[in-house]
Structures are given as structure tokens and as C-alpha cells.
Amino acid sequence: MAAIVRPLKLNEVPSLHRRFGEAIDTSFAYIKPQYRVKIRRDNNLIRLGYACVHPQRILLAAVDEGDLLGYAIGAVGKTQADLYWLYVSPKSRGQQLGLKLLQTFEQSSRQQGVNRVGLSTYDHHTYYAAIGYNTIKQETLHGVPMKIMVKDISL
């Protein structure tokens, strides 16, 4: 069966919480330890559950037969949606799940009435640029130099 991307279900929040913790310690290990502690605290099980039901939050899951392979977490403001976290497990990379998550995030954002998506990246700016994102500035986030990128998603 092929993985599908869809909104995260409330009963999947514990799986998201576990996968988030794994990601913080591996793929996001470039973030300094003291910041990772704060990120874990800010994304605890209760807050992720609240975000799952909050109308201005977007939580997406890439799933295959009940296994959470990846996720996208973000929020929608008045004119822009912000993608906070995009992750695909190492065993599931190379299947374009990250792109599917990102495209679904953009579509969900557009449906909520915004015309722009913003994100920050440490080392994937070339990938995002190839799919229409533009670097607007560099900024230090969580103690790490990041590129802030945006994409116009208006129709």
C-alpha cells in the first residue's frame, strides 16, 4: 500500500509526539541541546493535541497502514501560513513524501484564505528554491542560522 497524506487524527497525536521526539534527536540534531529541550517542552503531548483540533493549526500526517511516516506542522495567520516542522522518517525518504506533505500544507493554507507560505530551513534551501520558495532573509532561530523563505500560493 502507498502512503497517503491527510490531516492528522486526534488519536494519532501520541504517534506524532513519539515521532517528533525521534526527529528532534536525529534529523534536527543540529539544533543546540538547550533549544531542543525547549522545543520538546513547547511541543508536548497536550500542546500537540490542542494544535490538532485548533482551527488555525495545520497538522498533516503521511501514513501507511497506520504507521506515521512523516508530518507537517504549521499555523495559518491572516495573510500567511507558516510551516514550523516538516519531517519524513529516514526509512521513508526518497518517496516524495516531504513534497506531498508540503503541497498538502500549501493547499490547506490556500483553502483557509492565505496567499503565502513561509518556512525556515537550515540546510534545505536549494530544495525549497527549486519548488518556488524565495529566501527573504537570514535569521538565527533556536541558536542556528536559518534561511527564511516564502512562496506565493495565490491562484
Side-chain angles (χ1 to χ4, degrees), residues 21-154:
E22 294 168 7
I24 289 297
D25 291 335
T26 57
S27 295
F28 299 112
Y30 58 84
I31 299 172
K32 296 176 183 177
Q34 68 267 28
Y35 292 100
R36 284 187 285 163
V37 168
K38 181 181 181 331
I39 291 167
R40 282 180 178 275
R41 191 173 43 246
D42 290 347
N43 292 276
N44 65 41
L45 191 59
I46 293 169
R47 287 186 175 179
L48 288 172
Y50 178 73
C52 187
V53 298
H54 193 285
Q56 290 181 293
R57 300 289 185 260
I58 299 173
L59 277 73
L60 301 172
V63 294
D64 186 7
E65 296 181 10
D67 188 18
L68 181 68
L69 307 176
Y71 58 82
I73 300 172
V76 177
K78 291 183 181 189
T79 60
Q80 177 173 309
D82 291 301
L83 179 64
Y84 300 140
W85 299 103
L86 178 68
Y87 174 78
V88 175
S89 68
K91 71 175 186 166
S92 302
R93 293 180 185 160
Q95 301 173 39
Q96 298 205 345
L97 288 179
L99 180 60
K100 289 177 188 175
L101 284 161
L102 184 57
Q103 289 172 333
T104 305
F105 185 87
E106 291 171 358
Q107 179 183 24
S108 297
S109 299
R110 193 178 304 109
Q111 289 170 349
Q112 291 197 37
V114 298
N115 58 14
R116 191 165 103 153
V117 171
L119 57 81
S120 61
T121 183
Y122 172 65
D123 56 357
H124 294 294
H125 58 278
T126 303
Y127 171 78
Y128 290 117
I131 55 175
Y133 283 80
N134 297 301
T135 301
I136 57 168
K137 64 180 175 177
Q138 293 191 40
E139 191 173 294
T140 299
L141 300 171
H142 309 301
V144 178
M146 306 283 260
K147 290 191 177 2
I148 310 303
M149 305 184 80
V150 297
K151 179 180 180 180
D152 180 353
I153 59 167
S154 59

